[in-house]
Amino acid sequence: MQIVNEPEAVSRLLNDRRYVVPAVRGCDEIGLEWLRGEVARFSSGIRHRRRRAAVSLILRGLDPAALREGARLADGAQETLAVRVVASALGLAVDPDDVAVVARHYQPHTPVSEDADAAVQRLVLACGGRGDERTVALIGVLVQACEATAVLIGRCRDAVRDGARGAAEDVVAEVLRSDPPVRTTRRVSRDGTTLLLDLASADLPFGAGAHSCPGREHAVAIAAGAVERAREAR
């Protein structure tokens, strides 16, 4: 694997469609491999554009201000705070722990587990019971909202405890600059070389190009709400 940490090179490769996300196997039977094969996150080309459009449509129905307020009022485990806020806004009665299990095994380089397969199956049922593109997009939104946003929330809360000043958005922006939760991403060249791109070195915490995070505004809003909650609790 080749590591790329020169900022201009990272940005250039993220914006070059010749460098694609690692391929996934996919599977007809609903489970983790099926989900990986159907989500926008691990797709390329026309399929990626169509699947990303489905995700964007869902995100357009979520008001960042409402998510922020939901996070400000939310209790419970940090790991699933973002999932609970987003699921509530979407009107979905999902088990946040199922989302967390899937998130831990989501990346193609992590092993598949029976627990993750079962969690995917339960999430499909909770999202309407059909393994269609909208169901996949809904699960993808929840999973993408899980781990990285939980880490971001945790680091923002740590910053508040350490005396961070300024507006909640400023605290979030500084954490994203200095200690982003997602530090790397992978791309594959046409000759099959896997590249590990250092997003942190390029100051691109939400990526760039065709696969940039479509939920950036929503994640920042949730983290800002968590900052406000942490300050109120002091």
Side-chain angles (χ1 to χ4, degrees), residues 41-105:
R41 175 67 182 81
F42 306 123
S43 304
S44 298
I46 294 174
R47 286 190 303 173
H48 171 256
R49 290 192 288 274
R50 187 185 73 246
R51 293 169 178 178
R52 184 182 173 96
V55 170
S56 296
L57 182 62
I58 291 168
L59 292 174
R60 283 198 294 273
L62 295 176
D63 178 12
L67 296 178
R68 180 172 179 161
E69 182 66 4
R72 188 183 72 81
L73 298 174
D75 292 314
Q78 176 178 298
E79 181 186 26
T80 59
L81 187 151
V83 172
R84 288 181 280 114
V85 169
V86 172
S88 176
L90 290 170
L92 296 175
V94 302
D95 183 341
D97 290 333
D98 281 340
V99 180
V101 169
V102 174
R104 287 194 291 271
H105 297 270

